[in-house]
């Protein structure tokens, strides 16, 4: 099922998600729906708060559906190591049309549970590291515009207000 993606400034996006405690069929269906929704929106990452569900869960697929090995499900995720620095452009399905450069760590190691509740660790660099940080921010109630420089944030917020006025948001 294709879920509805909520846009900024929906308050659910600013709220830290609740930990996931039940690893059941309902959760697996929700994960499947998250992938479907992310592919429909042509994104490479999607966090539960972005579909209005305040939970610590996210999905990532850098191949956008082309390689099943790239499908990642991170439940109750956290960053346990981060190093280096990268400064690249990011977008977000909750901010259509907004793309700006954001400072992120170059490499991170994450710890998370899979759909069955099993804990695992994984390293990511470059785009995957950025995606981990962007999506884990979402489950913490943090948004990428607040990682931008004040100037870029103001420009983005102005662009959003204009789109809101024009009925395009
Ligand atoms: Zn996002």
């Amino acid at each position: 099922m294709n879920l509805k993606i909520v846009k900024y400034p929906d308050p659910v996006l600013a709220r830290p998600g609740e930990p996931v405690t039940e690893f059941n069929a309902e959760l697996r269906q929700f994960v499947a729906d998250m992938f479907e929704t992310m592919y429909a929106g042509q994104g490479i990452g999607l966090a539960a708060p972005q579909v209005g569900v305040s939970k610590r869960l996210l999905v990532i697929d850098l191949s956008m559906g082309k390689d099943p090995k790239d499908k990642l499900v991170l439940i109750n995720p956290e960053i346990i190591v981060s190093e280096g620095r990268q400064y690249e452009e990011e977008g977000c399905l909750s901010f259509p049309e907004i793309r700006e450069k954001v400072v992120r760590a170059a490499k991170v190691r994450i710890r998370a549970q899979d759909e069955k509740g099993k804990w695992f660790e994984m390293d990511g660099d470059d785009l995957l590291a950025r995606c981990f940080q962007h999506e884990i921010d979402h489950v913490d109630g943090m948004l990428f515009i607040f990682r931008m420089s004040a100037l870029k944030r103001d420009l983005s917020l102005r662009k959003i207000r204009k789109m809101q006025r024009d009925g395009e948001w």
Side-chain angles (χ1 to χ4, degrees), residues 74-106:
L74 273 59
I75 300 174
N76 301 322
E78 54 184 325
I79 291 168
I80 51 175
V81 181
S82 60
E83 58 187 59
R85 180 183 183 274
Q86 57 173 320
Y87 184 53
E88 297 293 337
E89 214 172 65
E90 282 180 28
C92 178
L93 290 173
S94 296
F95 291 82
E97 319 264 323
I98 305 291
R99 292 194 67 84
E100 284 295 350
K101 285 190 156 189
V102 179
V103 175
R104 300 284 187 187

Short mmCIF file of all heavy atoms in Angstrom, two decimals, residues 74-106:
data_model
loop_
_atom_site.label_atom_id
_atom_site.label_comp_id
_atom_site.label_asym_id
_atom_site.label_seq_id
_atom_site.Cartn_x
_atom_site.Cartn_y
_atom_site.Cartn_z
N LEU A 74 16.16 -0.48 9.04
CA LEU A 74 16.81 -0.15 10.30
C LEU A 74 15.73 0.18 11.34
O LEU A 74 14.97 1.13 11.16
CB LEU A 74 17.73 1.06 10.14
CG LEU A 74 19.19 0.84 9.70
CD1 LEU A 74 19.26 0.15 8.36
CD2 LEU A 74 19.94 2.16 9.67
N ILE A 75 15.69 -0.63 12.39
CA ILE A 75 14.71 -0.43 13.44
C ILE A 75 15.45 -0.09 14.73
O ILE A 75 16.46 -0.72 15.04
CB ILE A 75 13.82 -1.68 13.57
CG1 ILE A 75 13.11 -1.92 12.23
CG2 ILE A 75 12.81 -1.52 14.71
CD1 ILE A 75 12.31 -3.20 12.15
N ASN A 76 14.96 0.91 15.43
CA ASN A 76 15.62 1.44 16.64
C ASN A 76 17.10 1.74 16.39
O ASN A 76 17.96 1.33 17.17
CB ASN A 76 15.44 0.46 17.81
CG ASN A 76 13.98 0.21 18.13
OD1 ASN A 76 13.15 1.12 18.05
ND2 ASN A 76 13.64 -1.01 18.48
N PRO A 77 17.40 2.44 15.29
CA PRO A 77 18.80 2.62 14.90
C PRO A 77 19.52 3.70 15.70
O PRO A 77 18.88 4.63 16.22
CB PRO A 77 18.68 3.10 13.44
CG PRO A 77 17.40 3.87 13.43
CD PRO A 77 16.48 3.15 14.39
N GLU A 78 20.83 3.54 15.79
CA GLU A 78 21.64 4.61 16.37
C GLU A 78 23.01 4.60 15.70
O GLU A 78 23.46 3.57 15.21
CB GLU A 78 21.78 4.44 17.89
CG GLU A 78 22.30 3.09 18.31
CD GLU A 78 22.32 2.93 19.82
OE1 GLU A 78 22.59 3.90 20.54
OE2 GLU A 78 22.09 1.78 20.28
N ILE A 79 23.62 5.78 15.69
CA ILE A 79 24.98 5.90 15.15
C ILE A 79 25.93 5.67 16.30
O ILE A 79 25.83 6.34 17.33
CB ILE A 79 25.18 7.29 14.52
CG1 ILE A 79 24.31 7.39 13.25
CG2 ILE A 79 26.66 7.53 14.19
CD1 ILE A 79 24.19 8.79 12.69
N ILE A 80 26.85 4.69 16.13
CA ILE A 80 27.75 4.40 17.24
C ILE A 80 29.17 4.91 16.99
O ILE A 80 29.92 5.11 17.94
CB ILE A 80 27.75 2.90 17.63
CG1 ILE A 80 27.98 2.01 16.40
CG2 ILE A 80 26.43 2.53 18.29
CD1 ILE A 80 28.10 0.53 16.77
N VAL A 81 29.53 5.12 15.72
CA VAL A 81 30.82 5.71 15.40
C VAL A 81 30.63 6.65 14.22
O VAL A 81 29.90 6.31 13.29
CB VAL A 81 31.86 4.63 14.98
CG1 VAL A 81 33.21 5.30 14.68
CG2 VAL A 81 32.03 3.55 16.03
N SER A 82 31.22 7.83 14.27
CA SER A 82 31.21 8.67 13.07
C SER A 82 32.54 9.37 12.95
O SER A 82 33.17 9.73 13.95
CB SER A 82 30.05 9.67 13.10
OG SER A 82 30.16 10.52 14.20
N GLU A 83 33.01 9.50 11.71
CA GLU A 83 34.31 10.14 11.50
C GLU A 83 34.36 10.87 10.16
O GLU A 83 33.59 10.55 9.24
CB GLU A 83 35.44 9.12 11.61
CG GLU A 83 35.34 7.97 10.63
CD GLU A 83 36.40 6.89 10.91
OE1 GLU A 83 36.41 6.35 12.03
OE2 GLU A 83 37.21 6.61 10.01
N GLY A 84 35.24 11.84 10.06
CA GLY A 84 35.43 12.58 8.82
C GLY A 84 34.30 13.57 8.58
O GLY A 84 33.43 13.78 9.43
N ARG A 85 34.33 14.16 7.40
CA ARG A 85 33.36 15.21 7.08
C ARG A 85 33.09 15.19 5.58
O ARG A 85 34.01 15.00 4.78
CB ARG A 85 33.98 16.56 7.46
CG ARG A 85 33.11 17.76 7.20
CD ARG A 85 33.90 19.03 7.55
NE ARG A 85 33.12 20.23 7.40
CZ ARG A 85 32.97 20.91 6.28
NH1 ARG A 85 33.58 20.50 5.18
NH2 ARG A 85 32.23 22.01 6.24
N GLN A 86 31.83 15.33 5.21
CA GLN A 86 31.47 15.51 3.81
C GLN A 86 30.45 16.64 3.72
O GLN A 86 29.74 16.92 4.69
CB GLN A 86 30.92 14.22 3.19
CG GLN A 86 29.72 13.63 3.90
CD GLN A 86 29.11 12.45 3.14
OE1 GLN A 86 29.02 12.46 1.93
NE2 GLN A 86 28.69 11.43 3.88
N TYR A 87 30.42 17.29 2.57
CA TYR A 87 29.53 18.44 2.37
C TYR A 87 28.91 18.28 0.99
O TYR A 87 29.51 18.65 -0.01
CB TYR A 87 30.36 19.72 2.50
CG TYR A 87 29.58 21.01 2.41
CD1 TYR A 87 28.47 21.25 3.23
CD2 TYR A 87 29.96 22.00 1.52
CE1 TYR A 87 27.77 22.44 3.15
CE2 TYR A 87 29.28 23.21 1.44
CZ TYR A 87 28.18 23.42 2.26
OH TYR A 87 27.49 24.60 2.18
N GLU A 88 27.74 17.67 0.94
CA GLU A 88 27.10 17.34 -0.34
C GLU A 88 25.62 17.74 -0.30
O GLU A 88 25.06 17.95 0.77
CB GLU A 88 27.21 15.84 -0.62
CG GLU A 88 28.62 15.32 -0.78
CD GLU A 88 29.34 15.83 -2.01
OE1 GLU A 88 28.67 16.24 -2.98
OE2 GLU A 88 30.58 15.85 -1.98
N GLU A 89 25.04 17.76 -1.50
CA GLU A 89 23.65 18.14 -1.61
C GLU A 89 22.73 17.02 -1.13
O GLU A 89 23.00 15.86 -1.38
CB GLU A 89 23.35 18.42 -3.09
CG GLU A 89 22.34 19.52 -3.29
CD GLU A 89 22.23 19.87 -4.76
OE1 GLU A 89 21.79 19.03 -5.56
OE2 GLU A 89 22.58 21.01 -5.10
N GLU A 90 21.67 17.40 -0.44
CA GLU A 90 20.66 16.44 0.01
C GLU A 90 19.27 16.91 -0.35
O GLU A 90 19.01 18.11 -0.43
CB GLU A 90 20.70 16.29 1.55
CG GLU A 90 21.82 15.43 2.03
CD GLU A 90 21.85 15.27 3.55
OE1 GLU A 90 20.80 15.37 4.21
OE2 GLU A 90 22.96 15.05 4.05
N GLY A 91 18.40 15.94 -0.52
CA GLY A 91 16.98 16.24 -0.68
C GLY A 91 16.21 15.42 0.34
O GLY A 91 16.81 14.65 1.09
N CYS A 92 14.89 15.61 0.38
CA CYS A 92 14.07 14.90 1.37
C CYS A 92 12.66 14.82 0.82
O CYS A 92 12.13 15.81 0.31
CB CYS A 92 14.09 15.68 2.69
SG CYS A 92 13.07 14.93 3.97
N LEU A 93 12.04 13.63 0.92
CA LEU A 93 10.68 13.47 0.39
C LEU A 93 9.67 14.36 1.12
O LEU A 93 8.60 14.63 0.59
CB LEU A 93 10.25 12.00 0.45
CG LEU A 93 10.99 11.06 -0.52
CD1 LEU A 93 10.61 9.61 -0.26
CD2 LEU A 93 10.70 11.43 -1.97
N SER A 94 10.01 14.83 2.32
CA SER A 94 9.10 15.73 3.05
C SER A 94 9.34 17.19 2.70
O SER A 94 8.65 18.08 3.20
CB SER A 94 9.25 15.53 4.56
OG SER A 94 8.85 14.23 4.91
N PHE A 95 10.34 17.42 1.82
CA PHE A 95 10.66 18.78 1.33
C PHE A 95 10.80 18.76 -0.19
O PHE A 95 11.90 18.94 -0.71
CB PHE A 95 11.97 19.27 1.94
CG PHE A 95 11.95 19.57 3.41
CD1 PHE A 95 12.09 18.54 4.33
CD2 PHE A 95 11.80 20.87 3.87
CE1 PHE A 95 12.08 18.80 5.69
CE2 PHE A 95 11.80 21.14 5.23
CZ PHE A 95 11.92 20.11 6.15
N PRO A 96 9.69 18.51 -0.91
CA PRO A 96 9.83 18.42 -2.36
C PRO A 96 10.47 19.68 -2.93
O PRO A 96 10.18 20.79 -2.48
CB PRO A 96 8.39 18.25 -2.86
CG PRO A 96 7.50 18.36 -1.69
CD PRO A 96 8.31 18.36 -0.46
N GLU A 97 11.34 19.50 -3.91
CA GLU A 97 11.99 20.61 -4.62
C GLU A 97 13.13 21.28 -3.86
O GLU A 97 13.82 22.13 -4.41
CB GLU A 97 11.00 21.73 -5.02
CG GLU A 97 9.67 21.26 -5.52
CD GLU A 97 9.62 21.21 -7.04
OE1 GLU A 97 10.20 22.09 -7.68
OE2 GLU A 97 9.01 20.26 -7.55
N ILE A 98 13.32 20.94 -2.59
CA ILE A 98 14.39 21.58 -1.83
C ILE A 98 15.63 20.67 -1.87
O ILE A 98 15.55 19.51 -1.47
CB ILE A 98 13.98 21.82 -0.35
CG1 ILE A 98 12.67 22.63 -0.26
CG2 ILE A 98 15.10 22.46 0.44
CD1 ILE A 98 12.77 24.07 -0.68
N ARG A 99 16.72 21.21 -2.36
CA ARG A 99 18.00 20.48 -2.34
C ARG A 99 19.08 21.45 -1.92
O ARG A 99 19.23 22.51 -2.52
CB ARG A 99 18.34 19.91 -3.73
CG ARG A 99 17.42 18.79 -4.18
CD ARG A 99 17.99 18.05 -5.38
NE ARG A 99 19.20 17.30 -5.01
CZ ARG A 99 19.19 16.09 -4.47
NH1 ARG A 99 18.06 15.49 -4.24
NH2 ARG A 99 20.31 15.49 -4.17
N GLU A 100 19.82 21.10 -0.88
CA GLU A 100 20.89 21.98 -0.41
C GLU A 100 22.02 21.15 0.16
O GLU A 100 21.82 20.00 0.55
CB GLU A 100 20.38 22.93 0.70
CG GLU A 100 19.54 24.10 0.21
CD GLU A 100 20.30 25.10 -0.67
OE1 GLU A 100 21.55 25.00 -0.76
OE2 GLU A 100 19.63 25.96 -1.26
N LYS A 101 23.19 21.78 0.23
CA LYS A 101 24.34 21.09 0.80
C LYS A 101 24.25 21.08 2.33
O LYS A 101 23.86 22.08 2.94
CB LYS A 101 25.62 21.79 0.36
CG LYS A 101 25.98 21.48 -1.08
CD LYS A 101 27.37 21.99 -1.38
CE LYS A 101 27.98 21.23 -2.54
NZ LYS A 101 29.40 21.57 -2.70
N VAL A 102 24.63 19.95 2.90
CA VAL A 102 24.56 19.75 4.34
C VAL A 102 25.87 19.08 4.78
O VAL A 102 26.36 18.18 4.10
CB VAL A 102 23.36 18.85 4.71
CG1 VAL A 102 23.29 18.60 6.20
CG2 VAL A 102 22.05 19.45 4.21
N VAL A 103 26.39 19.51 5.91
CA VAL A 103 27.60 18.88 6.46
C VAL A 103 27.22 17.59 7.18
O VAL A 103 26.30 17.59 8.00
CB VAL A 103 28.33 19.83 7.44
CG1 VAL A 103 29.51 19.11 8.09
CG2 VAL A 103 28.81 21.08 6.74
N ARG A 104 27.92 16.53 6.85
CA ARG A 104 27.70 15.23 7.51
C ARG A 104 29.04 14.57 7.77
O ARG A 104 30.04 14.94 7.15
CB ARG A 104 26.90 14.29 6.60
CG ARG A 104 25.52 14.75 6.18
CD ARG A 104 24.52 14.60 7.30
NE ARG A 104 23.16 14.90 6.84
CZ ARG A 104 22.13 14.97 7.65
NH1 ARG A 104 22.27 14.77 8.97
NH2 ARG A 104 20.93 15.24 7.19
N ALA A 105 29.05 13.57 8.65
CA ALA A 105 30.25 12.75 8.80
C ALA A 105 30.46 11.95 7.52
O ALA A 105 29.49 11.58 6.84
CB ALA A 105 30.08 11.80 9.99
N ALA A 106 31.73 11.69 7.19
CA ALA A 106 32.04 10.96 5.95
C ALA A 106 31.77 9.46 6.10
O ALA A 106 31.40 8.78 5.16
CB ALA A 106 33.50 11.18 5.57
#
